[in-house]
């Protein structure tokens, strides 16, 4: 039997324990019960939207500033310093130079689980310099790089979203860690596989990636794109006088041309899903010298890892044959890679509900005039900017679908549950990777699209931090559906290194002139104002 003394002691301990738990829960309301009540969640989402609206000036400044830097892959030094300085001032801990890449970094804030990663690309396109708001080709500096993909807008969107979310997480004592990171050299597919290989996503619970588009949208499952491996083939022979003693030379350029000829004949016998393309990056010095060195850079794209690797092996075999025919030496270097993408269904469905809640921006008559102007200039359908939301895109039908582009966010999507949020800062009907795609990217079109995207992202992040069921479902889909039969095998090896020397010479050539056009927000309200551009400027 229990004595009176023991009974009193037991009741006292229970009482103390209950009070301690109550006090702890009061200080940490989401630690003991992470699920927010629906009304509370909706109220906080509304607050996030209002907070992001308040940040529109800061958002515009960030978008315009990064646009003005216009830095190519692996050379995004100004961009990375600018963005990390903002994050550092707002309490984020920065790790610079991740995966051996000088312009790559992580920025973390918060503590404990879950750990949610938020990323976007920051590099630009060669020869895509363009005055924003001008609906025809008018470069700021002829031949210079420019944001003809719109990568100047993604990280400003992410920063806008997480700074609004951070205020609520601090006040509501919501546990968890935010990790921002940049897609360096995405146009070369040069870094994300190295982030994965070097362990930067091993503790991450989920990832939201943002990418510029012309609508507010997302998708799940197989995205229908190709994976890819990027390889440079270098040939070395012997120089000689091209007229005086050509028989003494061994032309490395001949080897490149024979490789290209062999590959082009090989295309006839490849599946229709393949995409392969090349540029000769070094064709010799001058015609009267037999080229002792020559290089060709290939992208091999296909719909699955085995098919990509088969293309890679075929490319090596044809390069070896070209070297034998010309008595030259051949070496090859992997410059980048990407898996075919696959994105998380529960997370995509969650963010799409927030996309519907946010809706498309209200485009002005000036915004639509710019869109119609460039569409007419390029003889594209003159549909203007979208006024109807995209539907939630479902998986591609099969691995035999048409194939297409590649994005190395796919490597992260095969490592942790991942989605891509596309936001409406560009104009429909443009060619992509082109000066025309830079036209909207420092205008009200970009600013409004980024604000809309930031709202959808911040609302979804709030759910990921406060709804354990959503994260559980995301992980179940990742393990039981996405990776049940397909296992991620890196296309880069343990010894491959990021090609951090790429684009260095181009930026060294153009950066001194480009610096004169860096945005000065202390003096000018917008970049359009600094450049003296009337918005919009289109042909009559």
């Amino acid at each position: 039997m229990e004595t009176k003394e023991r009974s009193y002691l037991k009741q006292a301990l229970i009482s103390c324990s209950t009070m301690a738990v109550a006090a702890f829960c009061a200080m940490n309301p989401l630690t003991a019960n992470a699920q927010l009540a629906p009304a509370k969640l909706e109220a906080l989402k509304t607050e996030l939207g209002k907070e992001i609206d308040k940040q529109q000036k800061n958002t515009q400044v960030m978008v315009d500033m990064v646009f003005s830097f216009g830095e190519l892959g692996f050379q995004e030094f100004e961009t990375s310093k600018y963005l990390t300085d903002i994050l550092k001032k707002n309490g984020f801990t920065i790790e610079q130079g991740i995966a051996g890449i000088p312009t790559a970094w992580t920025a973390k804030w918060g503590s404990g689980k879950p750990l949610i990663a938020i990323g976007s690309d920051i590099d630009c396109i060669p020869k895509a310099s363009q005055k924003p708001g001008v609906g025809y080709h008018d470069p700021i500096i002829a031949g210079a790089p420019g944001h003809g993909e719109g990568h100047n807008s993604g990280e400003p969107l992410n920063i806008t979203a997480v700074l609004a979310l951070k205020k609520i997480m601090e006040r509501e004592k919501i546990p968890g860690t935010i990790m921002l990171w940049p897609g360096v050299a995405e146009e070369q597919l040069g870094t994300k596989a190295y982030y994965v290989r070097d362990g930067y996503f091993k503790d991450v619970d989920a990832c939201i990636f943002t990418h510029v588009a012309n609508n507010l949208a997302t998708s799940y499952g197989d995205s229908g794109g190709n994976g890819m491996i990027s390889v440079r083939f270098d040939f070395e022979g012997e120089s000689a006088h091209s007229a005086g003693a050509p028989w003494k030379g061994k032309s490395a350029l001949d080897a490149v041309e024979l490789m290209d000829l062999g590959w082009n004949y090989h295309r006839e016998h490849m599946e229709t899903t393949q995409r392969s393309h090349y540029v000769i990056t070094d064709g010799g010095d001058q015609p009267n010298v037999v080229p002792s060195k020559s290089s060709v850079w290939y992208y091999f794209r296909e719909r699955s890892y085995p098919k990509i690797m088969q293309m890679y092996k075929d490319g090596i075999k044809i390069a070896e044959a070209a070297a034998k025919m010309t008595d030259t030496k051949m070496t090859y270097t992997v410059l980048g890679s990407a898996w075919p993408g696959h994105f998380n269904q529960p997370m995509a469905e969650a963010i799409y509900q927030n996309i519907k809640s946010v809706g498309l921006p209200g485009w002005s008559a000036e915004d639509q005039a710019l869109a119609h102007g460039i569409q007419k200039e390029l003889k594209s359908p003159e549909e203007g900017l979208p006024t109807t939301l995209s539907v939630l895109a479902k998986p591609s039908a099969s691995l035999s679908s048409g194939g297409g582009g590649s994005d190395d966010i796919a490597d992260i999507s095969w490592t942790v549950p991942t989605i891509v949020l596309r936001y409406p800062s560009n104009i429909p009907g443009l060619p992509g990777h082109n000066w025309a795609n830079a036209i909207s990217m420092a205008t009200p079109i970009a600013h409004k699209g980024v604000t809309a995207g930031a709202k959808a992202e911040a609302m979804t992040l709030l759910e990921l931090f406060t709804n354990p069921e959503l994260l559980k479902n995301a992980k179940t889909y990742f393990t039981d559906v996405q990776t049940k039969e397909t296992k991620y095998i890196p296309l880069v090896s343990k010894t491959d290194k990021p090609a951090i020397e790429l684009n260095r010479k181009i930026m060294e050539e153009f950066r001194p002139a480009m610096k004169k056009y860096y945005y000065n927000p202390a003096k000018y309200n917008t970049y359009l104002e600094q450049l003296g551009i009337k918005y919009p400027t289109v042909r009559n």
Side-chain angles (χ1 to χ4, degrees), residues 275-293:
R275 299 286 189 277
S276 52
H277 12 266
Y278 58 84
V279 292
I280 297 174
T281 55
D282 181 0
D285 299 307
Q286 56 192 55
N288 65 333
V289 179
V290 173
S292 62
K293 292 184 179 180

Side-chain angles (χ1 to χ4, degrees), residues 256-473:
V256 163
E257 292 184 300
L258 284 167
M259 179 187 177
D260 295 343
L261 184 67
W263 186 262
N264 288 329
Y265 275 106
H266 180 55
R267 287 179 203 268
E268 180 186 355
H269 309 288
M270 299 173 71
E271 295 187 42
T272 56
T273 47
Q274 75 85 24
R275 299 286 189 277
S276 52
H277 12 266
Y278 58 84
V279 292
I280 297 174
T281 55
D282 181 0
D285 299 307
Q286 56 192 55
N288 65 333
V289 179
V290 173
S292 62
K293 292 184 179 180
S294 190
S295 301
V296 60
W297 183 6
Y298 271 79
Y299 279 12
F300 299 121
R301 305 185 198 246
E302 250 292 1
R303 292 283 284 121
S304 68
Y305 172 82
K307 290 181 179 181
I308 297 166
M309 291 306 291
Q310 186 59 54
M311 289 180 75
Y312 179 31
K313 291 174 184 176
D314 289 346
I316 294 170
K317 184 164 54 178
I318 290 171
E320 289 172 339
K324 287 180 181 178
M325 285 189 284
T326 53
D327 197 19
T328 57
K329 296 176 183 177
M330 186 276 293
T331 57
Y332 57 91
T333 304
V334 172
L335 299 181
S337 72
W339 259 61
H342 190 118
F343 301 102
N344 193 268
Q345 183 174 353
M347 289 172 61
E349 290 171 342
I351 202 169
Y352 190 69
Q353 291 305 310
N354 292 317
I355 284 171
K356 290 196 294 184
S357 174
V358 171
L360 286 168
W363 307 119
S364 69
E366 291 79 11
D367 300 333
Q368 291 287 11
L370 180 63
H372 283 286
I374 186 58
Q375 288 165 348
K376 183 176 182 180
E377 180 80 8
L378 298 182
K379 298 179 173 58
S380 295
E382 293 179 44
E383 58 191 46
L385 297 167
T387 55
T388 304
L389 276 176
S390 293
V391 299
L392 175 60
K394 296 182 179 179
S396 174
S398 72
L399 286 177
S400 63
S401 65
S406 313
D407 194 322
D408 52 353
I409 185 57
D411 288 77
I412 292 168
S413 80
W414 286 98
T415 306
V416 299
T418 301
I419 53 170
V420 176
L421 169 66
R422 294 182 288 280
Y423 54 94
S425 289
N426 219 295
I427 297 170
L430 305 186
H433 290 184
N434 184 271
W435 57 266
N437 292 77
I439 284 171
S440 66
M441 293 314 304
T443 73
I445 296 172
H447 307 148
K448 292 172 185 177
V450 166
T451 294
K455 291 178 183 179
E457 179 174 65
M459 292 173 183
T460 308
L461 287 168
L462 178 64
E463 291 187 57
L464 287 168
F465 280 114
T466 62
N467 184 353
E469 193 68 19
L470 175 56
L471 269 181
K472 179 184 175 183
N473 292 340

Side-chain angles (χ1 to χ4, degrees), residues 83-123:
L83 296 173
T84 54
D85 281 351
I86 292 170
L87 291 164
K88 198 181 301 181
K89 288 174 185 174
N90 283 277
F92 283 74
T93 301
I94 311 298
E95 181 182 352
Q96 302 277 11
I98 67 169
I101 301 159
T103 56
W105 43 269
T106 60
K108 288 184 179 179
W109 174 86
S111 62
K113 287 284 195 171
L115 170 56
I116 310 297
I118 304 108
S120 197
D121 300 321
I122 58 174
D123 57 330

Side-chain angles (χ1 to χ4, degrees), residues 217-247:
T218 194
S219 62
Y220 67 86
D222 182 344
S223 62
N226 282 334
M228 191 207 78
I229 190 162
S230 164
V231 191
R232 187 186 67 230
F233 296 90
D234 300 307
F235 295 87
E236 184 173 356
E238 291 181 11
S239 65
H241 195 298
S242 297
W247 53 87

